[in-house]
Structure formats: structure tokens, C-alpha cells
Coordinates of all heavy atoms in Angstrom, one line a residue:
Y140 N 62.6 80.3 113.5 CA 63.3 80.8 114.7 C 63.3 79.8 115.8 O 62.2 79.2 116.0 CB 62.6 82.1 115.2 CG 63.4 82.9 116.1 CD1 64.4 83.9 115.7 CD2 63.3 82.8 117.5 CE1 65.1 84.6 116.5 CE2 64.0 83.5 118.4 CZ 64.9 84.5 117.9 OH 65.6 85.2 118.8
F141 N 64.4 79.5 116.4 CA 64.4 78.6 117.6 C 65.4 79.0 118.6 O 66.4 79.7 118.2 CB 64.6 77.1 117.1 CG 66.0 76.8 116.7 CD1 66.9 76.3 117.5 CD2 66.3 77.0 115.3 CE1 68.2 76.0 117.1 CE2 67.6 76.8 114.9 CZ 68.5 76.2 115.8
G142 N 65.3 78.6 119.8 CA 66.3 78.9 120.8 C 67.1 77.7 121.1 O 66.7 76.5 121.0
V143 N 68.4 77.9 121.5 CA 69.3 76.9 122.0 C 69.4 77.1 123.5 O 69.9 78.2 123.9 CB 70.6 76.9 121.3 CG1 71.5 75.8 121.9 CG2 70.4 76.7 119.8
C144 N 69.0 76.1 124.3 CA 69.1 76.3 125.7 C 70.3 75.5 126.3 O 70.4 74.3 126.0 CB 67.8 75.7 126.4 SG 67.8 75.7 128.2
L145 N 71.1 76.2 127.0 CA 72.3 75.5 127.6 C 72.1 75.1 129.0 O 73.0 74.6 129.6 CB 73.5 76.5 127.5 CG 73.9 76.9 126.0 CD1 75.1 77.8 126.1 CD2 74.2 75.6 125.2
D146 N 70.9 75.4 129.5 CA 70.6 75.0 130.9 C 70.4 73.5 131.0 O 69.7 72.9 130.2 CB 69.3 75.8 131.3 CG 69.2 75.9 132.8 OD1 69.6 74.9 133.5 OD2 68.6 76.9 133.3
D147 N 70.9 72.9 132.0 CA 70.7 71.5 132.3 C 69.4 71.2 132.9 O 68.9 70.1 132.9 CB 71.8 70.9 133.1 CG 73.1 70.8 132.3 OD1 73.1 70.6 131.1 OD2 74.2 71.0 132.9
D148 N 68.8 72.2 133.5 CA 67.5 72.1 134.3 C 66.3 72.4 133.4 O 66.1 73.6 133.1 CB 67.6 73.0 135.5 CG 66.4 72.9 136.4 OD1 65.4 72.3 136.0 OD2 66.4 73.4 137.5
I149 N 65.6 71.4 132.9 CA 64.5 71.6 132.0 C 63.4 72.4 132.6 O 62.7 73.3 132.0 CB 64.0 70.3 131.4 CG1 63.1 70.6 130.2 CG2 63.3 69.5 132.4 CD1 62.8 69.4 129.3
D150 N 63.2 72.3 133.9 CA 62.2 73.0 134.6 C 62.5 74.5 134.6 O 61.7 75.4 134.5 CB 61.9 72.5 136.0 CG 61.3 71.1 136.0 OD1 60.5 70.8 135.1 OD2 61.6 70.3 136.9
A151 N 63.8 74.8 134.9 CA 64.2 76.2 134.8 C 64.0 76.8 133.5 O 63.6 78.0 133.3 CB 65.7 76.3 135.3
M152 N 64.3 76.0 132.4 CA 64.1 76.5 131.0 C 62.6 76.8 130.8 O 62.3 77.9 130.3 CB 64.6 75.5 130.0 CG 64.4 75.9 128.6 SD 64.5 74.5 127.4 CE 62.9 73.8 127.7
R153 N 61.8 75.9 131.2 CA 60.3 76.1 131.0 C 59.8 77.3 131.8 O 59.0 78.1 131.3 CB 59.6 74.9 131.4 CG 59.7 73.7 130.4 CD 59.0 72.5 130.9 NE 59.1 71.4 129.9 CZ 59.2 70.2 130.2 NH1 59.1 69.8 131.4 NH2 59.3 69.3 129.2
D154 N 60.3 77.5 133.0 CA 59.9 78.6 133.9 C 60.3 79.9 133.2 O 59.6 80.9 133.1 CB 60.5 78.5 135.2 CG 59.9 77.4 136.1 OD1 58.8 76.9 135.7 OD2 60.5 77.1 137.1
H155 N 61.6 79.9 132.7 CA 62.1 81.1 132.0 C 61.2 81.5 130.8 O 60.9 82.6 130.5 CB 63.6 80.9 131.6 CG 64.1 82.1 130.8 ND1 64.6 83.2 131.4 CD2 64.2 82.3 129.4 CE1 65.0 84.1 130.4 NE2 64.7 83.5 129.3
C156 N 60.9 80.5 130.0 CA 60.1 80.7 128.8 C 58.7 81.2 129.1 O 58.2 82.1 128.5 CB 60.0 79.4 128.0 SG 61.6 78.9 127.2
D157 N 58.1 80.6 130.2 CA 56.8 81.1 130.6 C 56.9 82.5 131.1 O 56.1 83.4 130.7 CB 56.3 80.2 131.7 CG 55.9 78.8 131.2 OD1 55.7 78.6 129.9 OD2 55.7 77.9 132.0
E158 N 57.9 82.8 131.9 CA 58.0 84.2 132.5 C 58.3 85.3 131.5 O 57.8 86.4 131.6 CB 59.2 84.1 133.5 CG 59.4 85.5 134.2 CD 60.5 85.4 135.2 OE1 60.8 84.3 135.8 OE2 61.2 86.4 135.5
H159 N 59.0 84.9 130.4 CA 59.4 85.9 129.4 C 58.6 85.8 128.1 O 59.0 86.5 127.2 CB 60.9 85.8 129.2 CG 61.7 86.2 130.4 ND1 61.9 87.5 130.8 CD2 62.3 85.4 131.3 CE1 62.7 87.5 131.9 NE2 62.9 86.2 132.2
G160 N 57.6 85.0 128.1 CA 56.8 84.9 126.9 C 57.5 84.3 125.7 O 57.2 84.6 124.6
V161 N 58.4 83.4 126.0 CA 59.1 82.7 124.9 C 58.2 81.6 124.3 O 57.9 80.7 125.1 CB 60.5 82.1 125.4 CG1 61.1 81.3 124.3 CG2 61.4 83.2 125.9
T162 N 57.8 81.8 123.1 CA 56.8 80.8 122.5 C 57.5 80.0 121.4 O 56.8 79.1 120.9 CB 55.6 81.6 122.0 OG1 56.0 82.5 121.0 CG2 54.9 82.3 123.1
W163 N 58.7 80.3 121.0 CA 59.3 79.6 119.9 C 60.0 78.3 120.4 O 60.3 78.2 121.6 CB 60.3 80.4 119.1 CG 61.3 81.2 120.0 CD1 62.5 80.7 120.5 CD2 61.1 82.5 120.6 NE1 63.1 81.6 121.3 CE2 62.3 82.7 121.3 CE3 60.1 83.4 120.5 CZ2 62.4 83.9 122.0 CZ3 60.3 84.6 121.1 CH2 61.4 84.9 121.9
P164 N 60.2 77.3 119.6 CA 60.8 76.1 120.0 C 62.2 76.3 120.7 O 63.0 77.1 120.3 CB 61.0 75.2 118.7 CG 60.1 75.9 117.7 CD 60.0 77.3 118.1
Q165 N 62.5 75.4 121.7 CA 63.8 75.4 122.3 C 64.4 74.1 122.1 O 63.8 73.0 122.3 CB 63.6 75.7 123.8 CG 63.0 77.0 124.2 CD 63.8 78.2 123.8 OE1 65.0 78.2 124.1 NE2 63.3 79.1 123.0
W166 N 65.7 74.1 121.8 CA 66.5 72.9 121.6 C 67.5 72.8 122.7 O 68.3 73.8 123.0 CB 67.1 72.9 120.3 CG 68.1 71.8 120.0 CD1 67.8 70.4 120.2 CD2 69.4 71.9 119.5 NE1 68.9 69.7 119.8 CE2 69.9 70.6 119.4 CE3 70.2 72.9 119.1 CZ2 71.2 70.3 118.9 CZ3 71.5 72.6 118.6 CH2 72.0 71.3 118.5
R167 N 67.6 71.7 123.4 CA 68.6 71.5 124.5 C 69.6 70.4 124.0 O 69.3 69.2 124.2 CB 67.9 71.1 125.7 CG 67.0 72.2 126.4 CD 66.3 71.7 127.6 NE 67.2 71.2 128.6 CZ 67.2 69.9 129.1 NH1 66.3 69.1 128.6 NH2 68.0 69.5 130.0
P168 N 70.7 70.8 123.5 CA 71.7 69.8 123.0 C 72.4 69.1 124.1 O 73.1 68.1 123.9 CB 72.6 70.6 122.2 CG 72.6 72.0 122.7 CD 71.2 72.2 123.2
G169 N 72.4 69.6 125.3 CA 73.1 69.0 126.4 C 74.6 69.5 126.5 O 75.1 70.0 125.5
G170 N 75.2 69.3 127.6 CA 76.6 69.7 127.8 C 76.8 71.1 128.3 O 77.9 71.5 128.6
G171 N 75.8 71.9 128.4 CA 75.9 73.2 128.9 C 76.9 74.1 128.2 O 77.1 73.9 127.0
W172 N 77.5 75.0 128.9 CA 78.5 75.9 128.2 C 79.7 75.2 127.7 O 80.3 75.8 126.7 CB 78.9 77.0 129.3 CG 77.8 77.9 129.6 CD1 77.0 77.8 130.7 CD2 77.4 79.0 128.9 NE1 76.1 78.8 130.7 CE2 76.3 79.6 129.6 CE3 77.9 79.7 127.8 CZ2 75.7 80.7 129.2 CZ3 77.2 80.8 127.4 CH2 76.1 81.3 128.0
S173 N 80.1 74.1 128.2 CA 81.3 73.4 127.7 C 80.9 72.3 126.7 O 81.8 71.5 126.3 CB 82.1 72.9 128.8 OG 81.4 72.0 129.6
G174 N 79.7 72.1 126.4 CA 79.2 71.1 125.5 C 79.6 71.3 124.1 O 80.1 72.4 123.7
P175 N 79.5 70.3 123.2 CA 80.0 70.4 121.9 C 79.3 71.5 121.0 O 79.9 72.1 120.2 CB 79.8 69.0 121.3 CG 78.8 68.3 122.2 CD 79.0 69.0 123.6
T176 N 78.0 71.6 121.3 CA 77.2 72.7 120.5 C 77.7 74.0 120.8 O 78.0 74.9 120.0 CB 75.7 72.5 120.7 OG1 75.3 71.2 120.3 CG2 74.9 73.5 119.9
A177 N 77.7 74.4 122.2 CA 78.2 75.7 122.6 C 79.6 76.0 122.1 O 79.9 77.1 121.6 CB 78.1 75.8 124.1
C178 N 80.5 75.0 122.1 CA 81.8 75.2 121.7 C 81.9 75.4 120.2 O 82.6 76.3 119.7 CB 82.7 74.1 122.2 SG 82.9 74.1 124.0
A179 N 81.3 74.5 119.5 CA 81.3 74.5 118.0 C 80.7 75.8 117.4 O 81.1 76.3 116.4 CB 80.6 73.3 117.4
W180 N 79.6 76.3 118.1 CA 78.9 77.5 117.6 C 79.5 78.8 118.2 O 79.0 79.8 117.8 CB 77.4 77.4 117.9 CG 76.7 76.3 117.1 CD1 77.3 75.3 116.3 CD2 75.3 76.1 117.0 NE1 76.3 74.5 115.8 CE2 75.1 75.0 116.2 CE3 74.2 76.8 117.6 CZ2 73.8 74.5 115.9 CZ3 73.0 76.3 117.3 CH2 72.7 75.2 116.5
G181 N 80.4 78.7 119.1 CA 81.1 79.9 119.6 C 80.1 80.6 120.6 O 80.2 81.8 120.7
I182 N 79.2 79.9 121.2 CA 78.3 80.6 122.1 C 79.0 80.9 123.4 O 79.4 80.0 124.2 CB 77.0 79.7 122.4 CG1 76.3 79.5 121.1 CG2 76.1 80.4 123.4 CD1 75.1 78.5 121.2
D183 N 79.1 82.2 123.7 CA 79.8 82.6 124.9 C 79.0 83.6 125.8 O 79.4 84.1 126.7 CB 81.2 83.2 124.6 CG 81.1 84.4 123.8 OD1 80.0 84.9 123.4 OD2 82.2 85.0 123.4
G184 N 77.7 83.8 125.4 CA 76.8 84.6 126.1 C 75.4 84.4 125.6 O 75.2 83.9 124.5
L185 N 74.4 84.7 126.4 CA 73.0 84.5 126.0 C 72.3 85.9 126.2 O 72.6 86.6 127.1 CB 72.4 83.5 126.9 CG 72.9 82.1 126.8 CD1 72.2 81.1 127.8 CD2 72.8 81.5 125.4
P186 N 71.4 86.2 125.3 CA 71.1 85.4 124.1 C 72.1 85.6 123.0 O 72.7 86.7 122.9 CB 69.7 85.9 123.7 CG 69.7 87.3 124.1 CD 70.5 87.4 125.4
T187 N 72.4 84.6 122.3 CA 73.2 84.6 121.1 C 72.3 84.5 119.9 O 71.4 83.6 119.9 CB 74.3 83.5 121.1 OG1 75.2 83.7 122.2 CG2 75.1 83.5 119.8
Q188 N 72.4 85.3 118.9 CA 71.5 85.2 117.7 C 72.3 85.0 116.5 O 73.3 85.7 116.2 CB 70.7 86.5 117.6 CG 69.7 86.7 118.7 CD 68.9 87.9 118.6 OE1 69.4 89.0 118.1 NE2 67.6 87.9 118.9
F189 N 71.8 84.0 115.7 CA 72.4 83.7 114.4 C 71.3 84.1 113.4 O 70.1 84.0 113.6 CB 72.7 82.2 114.2 CG 73.7 81.8 115.2 CD1 73.3 81.2 116.4 CD2 75.1 81.9 115.0 CE1 74.2 80.7 117.3 CE2 76.0 81.5 115.9 CZ 75.6 80.9 117.1
L190 N 71.7 84.5 112.2 CA 70.8 84.9 111.2 C 71.0 84.0 110.0 O 72.2 83.9 109.5 CB 70.9 86.4 110.8 CG 69.9 86.9 109.8 CD1 68.5 86.8 110.3 CD2 70.2 88.4 109.5
L191 N 70.0 83.4 109.5 CA 70.1 82.5 108.3 C 69.4 83.1 107.1 O 68.4 83.8 107.2 CB 69.4 81.1 108.6 CG 69.9 80.4 109.8 CD1 69.0 79.1 110.0 CD2 71.3 80.0 109.7
A192 N 70.0 82.9 106.0 CA 69.4 83.3 104.7 C 68.2 82.4 104.3 O 68.0 81.3 104.9 CB 70.4 83.3 103.6
A193 N 67.4 82.8 103.4 CA 66.3 82.1 102.9 C 66.6 80.6 102.5 O 65.8 79.7 102.6 CB 65.5 82.8 101.8
D194 N 67.8 80.5 102.0 CA 68.3 79.1 101.5 C 68.9 78.3 102.6 O 69.3 77.2 102.4 CB 69.2 79.3 100.3 CG 70.5 79.9 100.7 OD1 70.7 80.4 101.8 OD2 71.4 80.1 99.8
G195 N 68.9 78.8 103.8 CA 69.4 78.1 105.0 C 70.9 78.3 105.3 O 71.4 77.7 106.2
T196 N 71.6 79.1 104.5 CA 73.0 79.3 104.7 C 73.1 80.3 105.9 O 72.2 81.2 106.1 CB 73.7 79.9 103.5 OG1 73.1 81.1 103.1 CG2 73.7 78.9 102.4
L197 N 74.2 80.2 106.6 CA 74.4 81.1 107.7 C 74.9 82.5 107.2 O 75.8 82.6 106.5 CB 75.5 80.5 108.6 CG 75.9 81.2 109.9 CD1 74.7 81.3 110.8 CD2 77.0 80.6 110.6
Y198 N 74.1 83.5 107.6 CA 74.4 84.9 107.2 C 75.2 85.6 108.2 O 76.1 86.3 107.8 CB 73.1 85.6 106.9 CG 73.2 87.0 106.5 CD1 73.5 87.3 105.1 CD2 73.1 88.1 107.3 CE1 73.6 88.6 104.7 CE2 73.2 89.4 106.9 CZ 73.5 89.6 105.6 OH 73.6 90.9 105.1
S199 N 75.0 85.3 109.5 CA 75.7 86.0 110.5 C 75.7 85.2 111.8 O 74.7 84.7 112.2 CB 75.1 87.4 110.8 OG 75.8 88.0 111.9
T200 N 76.8 85.2 112.5 CA 76.9 84.6 113.8 C 76.9 85.7 114.9 O 77.1 85.5 116.1 CB 78.2 83.8 114.0 OG1 79.3 84.6 113.8 CG2 78.2 82.6 113.0
D201 N 76.7 87.0 114.5 CA 76.8 88.1 115.4 C 75.5 89.0 115.2 O 75.7 90.2 115.0 CB 78.1 88.9 115.1 CG 78.3 90.0 116.2 OD1 77.8 89.8 117.3 OD2 78.9 91.0 115.9
A202 N 74.4 88.4 115.1 CA 73.1 89.1 114.8 C 72.6 89.9 116.0 O 71.8 90.8 115.8 CB 72.1 88.2 114.2
R203 N 73.0 89.5 117.2 CA 72.4 90.2 118.4 C 72.7 91.7 118.4 O 73.8 92.1 118.2 CB 73.0 89.6 119.7 CG 72.4 90.2 120.9 CD 72.9 89.5 122.1 NE 72.4 90.2 123.3 CZ 72.8 90.0 124.5 NH1 73.8 89.1 124.7 NH2 72.3 90.5 125.6
G204 N 71.6 92.4 118.4 CA 71.8 93.9 118.4 C 72.0 94.5 117.0 O 72.1 95.7 116.9
N205 N 72.0 93.6 116.0 CA 72.3 94.1 114.6 C 71.1 93.7 113.7 O 71.3 94.0 112.4 CB 73.6 93.4 114.1 CG 74.8 93.9 114.9 OD1 75.0 95.1 115.1 ND2 75.6 92.9 115.3
L206 N 70.1 93.2 114.2 CA 69.0 92.8 113.3 C 68.3 93.9 112.5 O 67.8 93.8 111.4 CB 67.9 92.0 114.1 CG 68.3 90.6 114.6 CD1 67.3 90.0 115.5 CD2 68.7 89.7 113.5
D207 N 68.4 95.1 113.2 CA 67.7 96.3 112.5 C 68.3 96.6 111.2 O 67.6 97.1 110.3 CB 67.7 97.5 113.5 CG 69.1 97.9 113.9 OD1 70.0 97.1 113.9 OD2 69.3 99.1 114.2
W208 N 69.6 96.3 111.0 CA 70.2 96.6 109.6 C 70.5 95.3 108.9 O 70.5 95.3 107.7 CB 71.4 97.5 109.8 CG 72.6 96.8 110.4 CD1 72.9 96.9 111.8 CD2 73.6 96.0 109.8 NE1 74.1 96.1 112.0 CE2 74.5 95.6 110.9 CE3 73.8 95.5 108.5 CZ2 75.6 94.8 110.6 CZ3 74.9 94.7 108.3 CH2 75.8 94.3 109.3
M209 N 70.7 94.2 109.6 CA 71.0 92.9 108.9 C 69.8 92.4 108.1 O 70.0 91.9 107.0 CB 71.5 91.9 109.9 CG 73.0 92.1 110.3 SD 73.5 90.7 111.3 CE 75.1 91.1 111.6
V210 N 68.7 92.4 108.8 CA 67.5 91.8 108.1 C 67.2 92.5 106.8 O 67.0 91.9 105.7 CB 66.3 91.7 109.0 CG1 65.0 91.3 108.3 CG2 66.6 90.7 110.2
P211 N 67.1 93.9 106.8 CA 66.9 94.6 105.5 C 68.0 94.3 104.5 O 67.7 94.2 103.3 CB 66.8 96.1 105.9 CG 66.4 96.1 107.4 CD 67.1 94.8 107.9
A212 N 69.2 94.2 104.9 CA 70.3 94.0 104.0 C 70.2 92.6 103.4 O 70.3 92.4 102.2 CB 71.6 94.1 104.7
L213 N 69.8 91.6 104.2 CA 69.6 90.2 103.7 C 68.4 90.1 102.8 O 68.5 89.5 101.7 CB 69.4 89.3 104.9 CG 69.3 87.8 104.6 CD1 70.4 87.3 103.8 CD2 69.1 87.0 105.9
L214 N 67.3 90.8 103.1 CA 66.2 90.8 102.3 C 66.4 91.5 100.9 O 65.7 91.2 100.0 CB 65.0 91.4 103.0 CG 64.4 90.6 104.2 CD1 63.3 91.4 104.9 CD2 63.9 89.2 103.8
A215 N 67.3 92.4 100.9 CA 67.6 93.1 99.7 C 68.5 92.3 98.7 O 68.5 92.6 97.5 CB 68.3 94.4 100.0
E216 N 69.1 91.2 99.2 CA 69.9 90.4 98.3 C 69.0 89.5 97.4 O 68.0 89.1 97.9 CB 70.8 89.5 99.2 CG 71.9 90.2 99.9 CD 72.9 89.3 100.6 OE1 72.7 88.1 100.5 OE2 73.7 89.8 101.3
P217 N 69.5 89.3 96.2 CA 68.7 88.4 95.3 C 68.7 87.0 95.8 O 69.6 86.5 96.4 CB 69.4 88.5 94.0 CG 70.7 89.0 94.3 CD 70.7 89.8 95.6
L218 N 67.6 86.3 95.6 CA 67.5 84.9 96.0 C 68.3 84.1 95.1 O 68.4 84.3 93.9 CB 66.0 84.4 95.9 CG 65.1 85.1 97.0 CD1 63.6 84.6 96.7 CD2 65.5 84.6 98.4
P219 N 69.0 83.0 95.6 CA 69.7 82.2 94.7 C 68.8 81.4 93.8 O 67.6 81.2 94.1 CB 70.4 81.2 95.7 CG 69.6 81.3 97.0 CD 69.0 82.6 97.0
P220 N 69.3 80.9 92.7 CA 68.4 80.2 91.8 C 67.9 78.9 92.4 O 68.6 78.3 93.2 CB 69.3 79.8 90.6 CG 70.7 80.3 91.0 CD 70.6 81.1 92.2
A221 N 66.7 78.5 92.1 CA 66.1 77.3 92.7 C 66.7 76.0 92.1 O 67.2 75.9 91.1 CB 64.6 77.3 92.5

């Protein structure tokens, strides 16, 4: 699990993480809301959650608010062959 921070102010990001108990890694690709990462990934609100399968494939780009049913559904799927 990791966060993507679109804030240009690293101190504001650190303060937010401290205030809200965010302990997972944060990645700051730069460019803010109009940067290449936000545009390519379709990030138009925060938090945005993506769900990845065990093999690293993208399972959902709309996981926010849906994890309660998506995670069990994903875990019920057979693992791909190694």
C-alpha cells in the first residue's frame, strides 16, 4: 500500500501524514493535479484508491468505498500459475 501525493508542498504532506496517522509510504510524482501521473491515472479527487491483484495487475481504479466487497471478491479468485 502506498499513497500518491499531489501536493507540491512536502511540509504540508508531512504535516497531513502526521496529523492523520498516515504511516505508509508516500510518492510525490510532481506536477500536482495537472501533472502526468494524475492525468494518466485519472485522479480527480483524493483519496483515490486503486486495488492490485496478488500478481500486480490492476484490479480496480474505483476501489474507494468499495473495498468491503472488492477485497473478498479478489481473494476468492484463483491465483494465476507461477
Side-chain angles (χ1 to χ4, degrees):
Y140 195 86
F141 71 96
V143 176
C144 177
L145 299 179
D146 199 327
D147 290 325
D148 183 346
I149 193 166
D150 292 326
M152 178 198 76
R153 288 181 178 144
D154 289 345
H155 175 84
C156 290
D157 290 343
E158 181 180 334
H159 296 282
V161 175
T162 58
W163 49 88
Q165 299 295 306
W166 175 49
R167 292 179 55 242
W172 291 95
S173 58
T176 301
C178 293
W180 291 11
I182 298 174
D183 59 5
L185 296 176
T187 298
Q188 293 180 322
F189 301 95
L190 185 59
L191 303 178
D194 65 357
T196 59
L197 182 62
Y198 182 79
S199 173
T200 60
D201 190 29
R203 182 178 179 191
N205 297 311
L206 292 175
D207 59 333
W208 67 267
M209 282 186 178
V210 170
L213 181 59
L214 291 174
E216 292 186 2
L218 291 174

